[in-house]
Amino acid sequence: MTDIAFAWSSLGGDPALVPRVSTVVREGALQGRLPVRELARACVGACALAAAELGARRAGLAEVPRVRVDDGAVATAFVSERHLLVDGRAPVAFAPLSRFWRTADGWVRTHANYPHHRARLLSALGLTEDLADSVGPALAERTSLEAEEAVYAAGGLAVALRTPEEWAAHEQGVAVAGRPLVERQRLDSAHARVLIPVEGAPLLPAAGLRVLDLTRVVAGPVATRTLALLGADVLRVDAPQLPELPDQHADTGFGKRSATLDLVADRSTFEELLAAADVVVTGYRPGALDRFGLSPQALAERRPGVVVAQLSAWGAYGPWGGRRGFDSLVQVATGIAATEGSPRLPGALPAQALDHGTGYLLAAAVLRALTEQSYEGGSRFVGSALARTARWLTDGIEAGGREGENASYDDPGSWLAERDSASGRLRYALPPVSFEGGPADWARPPVPWGTDAPSWARFSRAAR
């Protein structure tokens, strides 16, 4: 089964629609030892096909629009954070303490981009802020597993370098391998969703749908950024005490609005948002939101007919089900960094492909759930995990789409654009999701974090 066909089948899609997808294969895009380009193409292709399917349903089209997946657009979008410029300034990708470190028996990778993660890393190693330069020597005195456990116990993030074989034998690796690429579940027997028809150009499959975005960092925001492209009213809501990194927020904030809300102090406002939401997307570690009554089942009980989408690093199961994680750390744990590196130094994929790929898969799962609801009803749960996407990549992906065009990938300029925003003049990567009659760019630029009120836009209404 080819890459796009496998992703589409994981979403429950009709295999007869796969021939609607054509590809432009570009050698040189997302080069790595592992089939990163094929994974990226499959995730975007499946997402675009899900968008075209829902668009056809809402517009009353006899045929699902054709989908075109261009490796150039995909490769550019998968490193969107590297192409972003704000008034000509390039953002800083990783903080100084987010890197590989030598340990007594190998390597460990830490993640400390956020101030609270940096503080916890230092605390785990018995260091104060003025001794941050001593992180290296402190880690060198420990084994990789000792460092991993000590930092996680302190609420920080550090993962020991493992080979693919070591991860396959690990209890979490075994749990991940036994799960589907995309989790899909019907939560109840709520009535079928009646979607208001859409018309005109561009065709916006998610027009008027209300998406409550409770995600952070990259993968979850990529999913909701894609839903915003397709016309959804996406309201990102963050805790006021946890500001997002400004450049990261800009890169993944196109088409959205951004608000802050204290779930404890202002619960009534959240419940008002939920009561009118069509989709809720969560990206915090599994279980973190349950104490607020935000588990998928609890959300469906209070908002029958909702689609709940959950993004996690390691999966919401197994011994690591409650752990925090990021793309870079999942690459290290699952053997990707060992495969892409050398005997002397661990490596990395040419993009944060687990983040971006999983984000497009999650958006696709939401779109397919909405289509299924229009026929069958039922509140829906969909979920994806970076570690499960990593398993797909390391298992090897059968390349498909060779029947399409072939070209080179020399200059990403064709897939970059510029526009003004409240943060300044932005250069950014254009969306790779493309189908006949669909949108070519987001309707609005990103806004600074916390700009908007926690309320739905007046125009957003797509279901009854």
Side-chain angles (χ1 to χ4, degrees), residues 238-254:
D238 287 280
Q241 72 273 19
L242 291 175
E244 183 62 282
L245 303 175
D247 293 334
Q248 188 167 266
H249 187 264
D251 177 50
T252 59
F254 282 86

Side-chain angles (χ1 to χ4, degrees), residues 59-81:
L61 303 179
E63 279 192 317
V64 170
R66 293 190 177 276
V67 169
R68 186 172 183 266
V69 186
D70 191 315
D71 282 352
V74 173
T76 304
F78 266 56
V79 290
S80 59
E81 66 278 359

Side-chain angles (χ1 to χ4, degrees), residues 142-169:
R142 305 172 186 239
T143 68
S144 300
L145 293 180
E146 287 171 346
E148 177 182 274
E149 290 304 316
V151 175
Y152 262 101
L157 295 123
V159 170
L161 178 71
R162 292 173 172 82
T163 65
E165 295 75 20
E166 289 170 334
W167 178 248

Side-chain angles (χ1 to χ4, degrees), residues 205-230:
L209 290 164
R210 291 166 171 167
V211 177
L212 191 53
D213 180 1
L214 307 179
T215 70
R216 290 174 64 81
V217 197
V218 179
V222 164
T224 52
R225 181 181 69 182
T226 303
L227 297 174
L229 168 74
L230 299 171

